[in-house]
Amino acid sequence: MAEKYDPVALDRKWQRRWEDAGAAKVDTADGRDKFYMLNMFPYPSGSRLHVGHGRNYILGDALFRRERMAGRRTLNPMGWDAFGLPAENAAIASGVHPREYTLGNIGRMKEQLKSLGLLYDWSKELASCDPAYYRWNQWLFLRMWERGLAYRKTAPVNWCPGCRTVLANEQVVDGRCERSGDLVQIRDLTQWFFRITDYAERLLAGLEGLDWSDRVKTMQRNWIGRSEGAEVFFPVDGLTEPIAVFTTRPDTLFGATFLALAPEHPAAATLAERSPNRAEIGAFIERVRRESRLERESEGGEKEGVATGGTALNPVTGETIPVWLANFVLPDYGTGAIMGVPAHDQRDFEFARKYGIEIRPVYRMTDGPDADRDIDPEAMTEAAPHGGVLAHSGDWDGTPNGPAAIRRAIEWIEEKGFGKGRVGYRLRDWLISRQRYWGTPIPAIHCPACGVVPVPDSQLPVVLPEDVAFQGAEGNPLEQSEAFVATECPGCGGPARRETDTMDTFVDSSWYYLRFLNPADGTKMVDPERAAKWMPVDQYVGGIEHAILHLLYARFICRVLKDLGLVDIEEPFARLFNQGMITKLNPATGKVEKMSKSRGNTISPDDLIERFGADTVRVYTLFIGPPEKESEWSEDGVMGAWRFLQRVHDLCDRVAAGAPEPSEAPADSPLRRLEHRTIERVTADAARFHFHTAVAALMELQRAISEAAAAGSETPGSLRRATETLLKLLHPVAPHLTDEWWERFGNRFFLIDVAWPDFDPVLATSERVTLVVQVNGKVRGKLDIERGASEADVLALAHADEKVRAWVGDKPIARAVYVQDRLLNIVVR
RNA sequence: GCGAGAGUGGCGGAACUGGCAGACGCGCGGGACUUAGGAUCCCGUGGGGCAACCCGUGAGGGUUCAAAUCCCUCCUCUCGCACCA
C-alpha cells in the first residue's frame, strides 16, 4: 500500500535530527580541505522573511550541502547584524528596549530560518549587539586611533534629519538617506572618521584578482574614482598661504582665468571679511550651505557664484585672476578649490559666460576646416579638450593634446615649484560616528584638561547603559545617562565626559566573518592561526545592495587587520555571488514589481511550508530561474515543485518495495547511461549555481526511472540504484525528503555518510547518437548512428536516406561539412 | 551623458566552445480515473498550412557550409555612476 507523502512531518523530524546531531558543526582549529561558505548576516528586523530573502539562504544552504557531500570541511555559520536604527525607533515608538526588541526578532528569525531546513553551525552564532562582540569594535577603533586611521575632525558632513544622525557618503543615495529617504543636509560638525582614503590604491588594486561580477567591481572602481592630475598653488593677494587647487588638466593652466572656491573653503570667510561686499558674500555662503545635497549636486543645476573681490596670481602666466566662490565646487573633493579654465571645461565655461569672465583657449586645431585656429569653446561638446596642440602657453606651445602634454605640464610646474603631480580620489574618509544609542559606544573620553583621550584597553568594553528612556527623547538618549557620561579622565584622573556617539553599524559587519572562527574568544578579536587556515571566505552570498557599502568597508578593515598582523590576507571574500531579486506581478497594473513589505506584495514562506513543506519551497525557489537574475514568483509554479516531489516520493516508495539492495545495471542500460549523464549535468550546474537546470535534469531522471519501472525494462536492483543517485543529487535542494528515503533505504543520514556521486565519462555519453543531415543548411534527415562513425560511412548512410536523396537529387555536390557525431551538411548547387 | 547587463512561445526559462531553437516547469486543449484532493495520471501544445513544406530568437545589414550565439548600425528595457575639477 502506497504511503502518502507527508512533508510537514518530515520537516519536523529531520530538522530535529540535524540539530541533535550537530550536523553542521565544524571545528575551526582544523583547516584541512576547508570550504568557508557565508551568507551575509541579516539584520533581525521585526517582519517575517519573505521568499525573496529566502532565495539567498536557500541558495547558500544548497551550496553548503553540496560542498559537504563533496567531502569538504564546510563552514556555514550564521549571526546577526543586530545594532541599528529600527530597533531604536521601535523603542521610541513603543518603549520596549532595543535589546529586548532585537533579541525577540532574532529568536523569531532563527525559527524561520530553521523551518526552511537551513543548516548552520549555530555553535558559532554571534550578535553584534553583544558586548562580547562589540568590545572588539572598540579595541579595533583604539588600534586605528593609535595609527592615525581613526581621527576626529570638524567638516561639512551629511545629516539626516529623519534619523537625527550623520551619515557616511556611502549611505547617501541621490542626495537622500539610504535608510529613511529623507533629504540629506550638509552640516559642519565634529565627527569621527576612518581614514579609508589611505587605502584607496590598495582597495583598487585588489579588485583585479577577485572572482566577483564585473558589475560590482566596476561599481567599486567608480566609487573609489581615481584620477591623476596635479595640485597647483595660486598665491592670493593678502593671504599668507597660497590656495591649492586639484586639476586633472594641468596642461590647460595657461587658460585658467579665475579661481573658484567652495563656500565652505577656509579661505572663503577671510576673503569675505575684507571685501566691501561682505554682506552679499556672507549671504551667498549661508544660502549654499543650507541647500540639500541633492540640490547642490544635481548636474545642470544653475551655476552660481559671487566674486570675493580678491585676486590670485596664475603662476604660469604671472597674471592676476579673480577669486570667486561657486556653488558647484564641492568642499570635500580635491582641495575644495578649482582653477577655472572656461575654454576647456564645460562647467567653467557656463560659469564664465554667466559672470563675464575671460574665456581663453589654449588648444589650437591642427586639421579639419578649423585648422590653425584656436578651439572654439562654444562648439565644444565635451568638457575636456581633445585634439589640437597647445598654443598661447609659453614653452609648452606645440605640444599635442594628450597624456604627454599633461606629464610635461606636471614636470614643468614641479620644476618651478608651482605645484606637484597628485592622484585624486572620489572616495572620502568613512564617517563612522552616529548620534544614536543602539550601536557600539566609541571608546573616547573628553577631558577638560587633556582633551580627547582614548579609553584604556583594560576598561573595555565600554558597555551601553540599559537605564535609558527612549520615548520622548530629544537627541541621542545616551546623553541623558549621567551614569554613562560622567567618568574620570584616564590621563589626569579628573572629572571627564564620555563620548556619546556610537559607531556606524557597518563597522560591526566589516569583520564578523573573522569572528565566526573564534566567536567565544574573550582574549582576542581575531585568532590569527585560525584565520590563516580558514580565510578567505570561499563563497560569499548576498544582495547587490551591498556592492559598495559593506563590501568596500569589509575589504578596507581586512587590510587594516592585515597591517595589524592579525590576518595574512587582504581580500576577505574570494568569490562573491549576488542573487537577483524575486518579483511579483501586480494583477492590478500588469506590472512586475519588486517584492517588498512597503508594497504589501510579499509572499511568506510560512504558509507554503505549512501546506507543502520546506522542500517544495526550496525546489521552487531554486527552480524559478537563474539565481543571479531577478525572477517572478508564481503561485502555480509552486505546484509544479510540489508535484515533482510527490512523484519522487511515489517512486521511492515503489522502488523500496521492489528491491532490498541496489544493483548495477549493464553498461548498455539506457537508464544507467542517463543516470551518469545526469550526475555530470547536475554537478556542472551546481558549480555555477544553476540549480534551475539541475532540477530540470532531475525531473527528467525521475520520469525516466518511473517509466522504466512501469515498463519493467530494468531490474528492481538497477531501478533502486538509479533512484538512490536521484536522491543524492536532489539532496542539496530537497534535504528532508531525500534524508527520509535514504534512511528508509537502510542508510544513515546524508550529511554524515553520503558522498556526492561520481560519473563515468564513458557511461555519461551515449553509444548511439542522432546525427543531423542538412542539405544547404536545412535539416532534411536524421541518422541514428554509432558514436565515432567515419565521415565516409555517414555520407553513404545519408545518400541512402530517401528524404535526403530527394533533396540532393542529381545536383552536383559542392562540398560536405562533417562534424563528428553531430551533423553532416551537404552543400549542393 | 558615461559605464555594465539584458531582449528567445501565452508565461518563467533552456540551448557551456557557432552545429536539431524552445529542455524543464507553468498555463492552455483533449482524455483517463475517482480514496472528491489546493487531487493525480496519460496525450498534445512556437506560428502558418494541418499534408509536403514554409516562417520563426528586439529591428536592419554582414561573416560562415551553418548564427539566439561572432561583427557593424539602430531600437527598447534594467541597473550603477553622474557639477569629482
Side-chain angles (χ1 to χ4, degrees):
Chain A
M1 189 60 233
E3 192 186 322
K4 261 196 117 168
Y5 173 36
D6 181 359
V8 175
L10 295 188
D11 283 1
R12 213 175 303 124
K13 171 181 171 180
W14 286 99
Q15 284 165 21
R16 181 84 192 261
R17 290 275 289 275
W18 295 328
E19 185 152 351
D20 290 348
K25 217 163 179 175
V26 173
D27 177 5
T28 51
D30 186 349
R32 286 170 303 167
D33 265 330
K34 70 96 179 179
F35 189 85
Y36 190 170
M37 160 71 221
L38 188 64
N39 272 108
M40 289 180 186
F41 72 162
Y43 174 76
S45 84
S47 46
R48 305 290 288 172
L49 294 174
H50 60 67
V51 292
H53 304 117
R55 185 182 212 181
N56 177 24
Y57 302 113
I58 291 168
L59 181 68
D61 190 66
L63 293 172
F64 159 67
R65 287 175 185 264
R66 209 209 77 82
E67 289 304 326
R68 265 294 286 271
M69 289 176 74
R72 306 172 81 165
R73 300 171 52 78
T74 310
L75 176 63
N76 189 37
M78 184 47 70
W80 311 100
D81 190 10
F83 271 138
L85 218 38
E88 193 168 339
N89 288 341
I92 293 166
S94 69
V96 58
H97 193 277
R99 177 177 310 283
E100 207 178 307
Y101 174 85
T102 303
L103 295 181
N105 289 347
I106 287 176
R108 281 184 292 274
M109 198 178 265
K110 192 169 170 181
E111 285 314 308
Q112 216 187 353
L113 293 178
K114 285 182 179 174
S115 76
L116 281 164
L118 307 172
L119 267 187
Y120 297 107
D121 184 348
W122 289 111
S123 72
K124 297 176 175 56
E125 181 180 5
L126 56 81
S128 57
C129 64
D130 183 348
Y133 183 87
Y134 68 68
R135 70 171 294 175
W136 300 112
N137 282 342
Q138 296 170 339
W139 182 87
L140 172 66
F141 179 94
L142 293 172
R143 301 292 82 75
M144 291 176 72
W145 193 352
E146 287 161 5
R147 284 163 180 74
L149 293 173
Y151 68 96
R152 203 162 173 264
K153 73 167 177 193
T154 304
V157 297
N158 307 301
W159 170 265
C160 172
C163 299
R164 298 199 321 264
T165 182
V166 296
L167 301 173
N169 264 309
E170 288 79 4
Q171 288 162 321
V172 181
V173 178
D174 292 335
R176 291 174 182 275
C177 170
E178 170 237 11
R179 252 197 41 74
S180 69
D182 287 298
L183 275 175
V184 167
Q185 304 164 351
I186 298 186
R187 291 195 182 177
D188 256 335
L189 294 168
T190 305
Q191 297 291 326
W192 291 94
F193 293 82
F194 279 173
R195 211 178 290 278
I196 191 171
T197 50
D198 271 13
Y199 286 74
E201 205 57 55
R202 283 164 72 182
L203 288 168
L204 205 54
L207 288 172
E208 296 300 325
L210 288 179
D211 189 0
W212 292 16
S213 69
D214 286 339
R215 185 178 172 198
V216 174
K217 289 205 266 189
T218 306
M219 281 166 75
Q220 292 222 351
R221 224 170 261 132
N222 290 343
W223 188 262
I224 295 167
R226 182 181 198 277
S227 50
E228 288 182 19
E231 197 166 282
V232 185
F233 308 112
F234 287 72
V236 173
D237 193 29
L239 292 186
T240 46
E241 290 288 312
I243 285 178
V245 305
F246 177 68
T247 174
T248 57
R249 297 303 303 256
D251 53 321
T252 62
L253 202 40
F254 281 87
T257 53
F258 67 98
L259 215 60
L261 313 185
E264 292 86 347
H265 195 283
T270 319
L271 290 167
E273 260 167 50
R274 68 175 66 139
S275 164
N277 266 352
R278 190 177 318 155
E280 192 200 335
I281 298 170
F284 177 77
I285 294 176
E286 269 317 297
R287 188 162 56 76
V288 173
R289 298 184 64 157
R290 262 202 314 276
E291 279 181 351
S292 72
R293 239 183 106 122
L294 186 67
E295 294 167 300
R296 179 77 178 270
E297 292 190 8
S298 63
E299 189 175 4
E302 185 63 24
K303 288 177 183 43
E304 290 183 37
V306 62
T308 62
T311 56
L313 189 72
N314 182 332
V316 297
T317 60
E319 290 173 353
T320 295
I321 58 175
V323 180
W324 286 69
L325 303 185
N327 64 346
F328 70 94
V329 181
L330 303 174
D332 51 358
Y333 181 76
T335 58
I338 60 156
M339 64 181 203
V341 186
H344 298 292
D345 181 283
Q346 191 63 38
R347 295 157 301 182
D348 298 349
F349 177 72
E350 280 174 40
F351 190 78
R353 193 151 63 167
K354 176 167 177 179
Y355 293 106
I357 300 169
E358 186 194 351
I359 297 168
R360 185 189 292 183
V362 292
Y363 273 97
R364 172 170 290 171
M365 301 302 285
T366 48
D367 48 22
D370 294 326
D372 295 328
R373 263 186 275 173
D374 289 341
I375 283 174
D376 175 11
E378 298 277 350
M380 250 184 6
T381 51
E382 297 211 16
H386 298 285
V389 297
L390 278 169
H392 317 297
S393 296
D395 291 358
W396 307 351
D397 278 2
T399 313
N401 199 342
I406 295 173
R407 269 197 305 275
R408 175 161 184 193
I410 291 174
E411 275 170 34
W412 199 85
I413 60 173
E414 279 181 351
E415 209 172 284
K416 306 267 184 190
F418 297 152
K420 55 183 187 288
R422 210 191 107 175
V423 175
Y425 298 94
R426 209 187 80 107
L427 182 71
R428 319 288 159 84
D429 276 341
W430 175 13
L431 197 175
I432 60 119
S433 43
R434 299 289 179 273
Q435 290 69 53
R436 300 301 302 232
Y437 167 84
W438 194 229
T440 303
I442 290 176
I445 290 170
H446 300 265
C447 170
C450 311
V452 186
V453 295
V455 171
D457 281 6
S458 61
Q459 289 176 24
L460 297 186
V462 177
V463 179
L464 275 178
E466 296 281 328
D467 58 330
V468 172
F470 296 95
Q471 282 176 303
E474 289 285 322
N476 183 351
L478 264 186
E479 287 168 0
Q480 333 147 17
S481 173
E482 197 51 30
F484 175 79
V485 174
T487 186
E488 61 184 41
C489 172
C492 66
R497 316 229 3 122
R498 261 188 214 289
E499 172 66 65
T500 53
D501 280 0
T502 54
M503 293 184 205
D504 184 0
T505 57
F506 280 105
V507 176
D508 314 346
S509 56
S510 66
W511 63 280
Y512 76 104
Y513 47 89
L514 286 161
R515 191 62 181 172
F516 281 127
L517 304 176
N518 59 323
D521 194 337
T523 63
K524 51 192 172 300
M525 175 183 183
V526 173
D527 182 331
E529 268 178 48
R530 291 187 186 204
K533 286 176 185 165
W534 280 86
M535 289 303 290
V537 171
D538 295 279
Q539 182 63 57
Y540 201 28
V541 175
I544 191 81
E545 66 274 17
H546 290 295
I548 303 211
L549 290 154
H550 161 59
L551 290 168
L552 187 66
Y553 296 146
R555 296 179 62 230
F556 161 54
I557 293 297
C558 189
R559 282 164 171 78
V560 171
L561 293 172
K562 186 191 182 198
D563 294 348
L564 290 171
L566 293 177
V567 299
D568 55 8
I569 49 147
E570 297 219 335
E571 290 296 342
F573 314 122
R575 204 165 176 215
L576 171 71
F577 186 81
N578 303 110
Q579 81 281 1
M581 272 183 323
I582 292 207
T583 56
K584 185 84 176 71
L585 184 74
N586 183 337
T589 62
K591 280 188 178 164
V592 173
E593 299 173 334
K594 51 164 99 161
M595 201 175 272
S596 69
K597 196 182 152 198
S598 53
R599 283 175 212 272
N601 64 348
T602 58
I603 304 273
S604 162
D606 301 353
D607 358 326
L608 292 170
I609 288 172
E610 255 172 60
R611 283 188 284 171
F612 306 112
D615 286 343
T616 291
V617 175
R618 294 173 61 115
V619 168
Y620 181 62
T621 301
L622 293 173
F623 186 63
I624 191 168
E628 67 276 12
K629 282 179 60 178
E630 65 176 44
S631 306
E632 190 187 320
W633 189 266
S634 131
E635 292 288 329
D636 291 324
V638 177
M639 298 309 293
W642 164 244
R643 279 194 281 270
F644 168 57
L645 291 176
Q646 279 190 93
R647 285 195 295 266
V648 173
H649 170 87
D650 292 345
L651 172 65
C652 290
D653 199 37
R654 175 175 197 164
V655 164
E661 290 295 327
S663 62
E664 198 79 74
D668 63 352
S669 150
L671 187 59
R672 187 157 173 222
R673 295 265 176 184
L674 180 64
E675 181 189 330
H676 281 263
R677 202 160 65 242
T678 306
I679 297 170
E680 185 183 23
R681 279 175 70 185
V682 172
T683 303
D685 288 345
R688 50 183 188 134
F689 314 116
H690 281 197
F691 287 97
H692 64 305
T693 49
V695 170
L698 293 172
M699 286 170 166
E700 288 180 66
L701 180 61
Q702 174 271 315
R703 182 159 307 257
I705 305 172
S706 296
E707 278 171 2
S713 59
E714 298 272 346
T715 66
S718 71
L719 288 174
R720 171 144 175 181
R721 193 194 144 87
T723 304
E724 289 186 359
T725 297
L726 171 66
L727 289 179
K728 290 178 188 176
L729 297 176
L730 185 58
H731 179 74
V733 177
H736 306 84
L737 177 65
T738 51
D739 253 353
E740 176 67 15
W741 279 101
W742 192 242
E743 185 186 49
R744 292 210 208 173
F745 281 172
N747 302 285
R748 295 179 63 210
F749 50 90
F750 265 109
L751 284 172
I752 292 184
D753 65 0
V754 171
W756 189 257
D758 286 323
F759 64 92
D760 178 336
V762 175
L763 289 175
T765 51
S766 53
E767 284 177 308
R768 302 194 67 82
V769 290
T770 303
L771 187 129
V772 173
V773 182
Q774 298 180 336
V775 178
N776 285 351
K778 298 219 184 245
V779 180
R780 298 304 181 189
K782 287 177 187 180
L783 299 173
D784 181 45
I785 59 152
E786 189 88 1
R787 186 175 284 278
S790 74
E791 177 170 358
D793 290 348
V794 170
L795 206 53
L797 278 169
H799 281 300
D801 186 279
E802 240 173 82
K803 257 176 78 181
V804 173
R805 205 158 34 178
W807 280 98
V808 174
D810 43 12
K811 283 168 254 169
I813 293 173
R815 63 186 289 198
V817 181
Y818 180 61
V819 183
Q820 186 77 54
D821 298 332
R822 277 182 181 274
L823 157 144
L824 175 72
N825 188 9
I826 301 168
V827 185
V828 298
R829 265 192 298 111

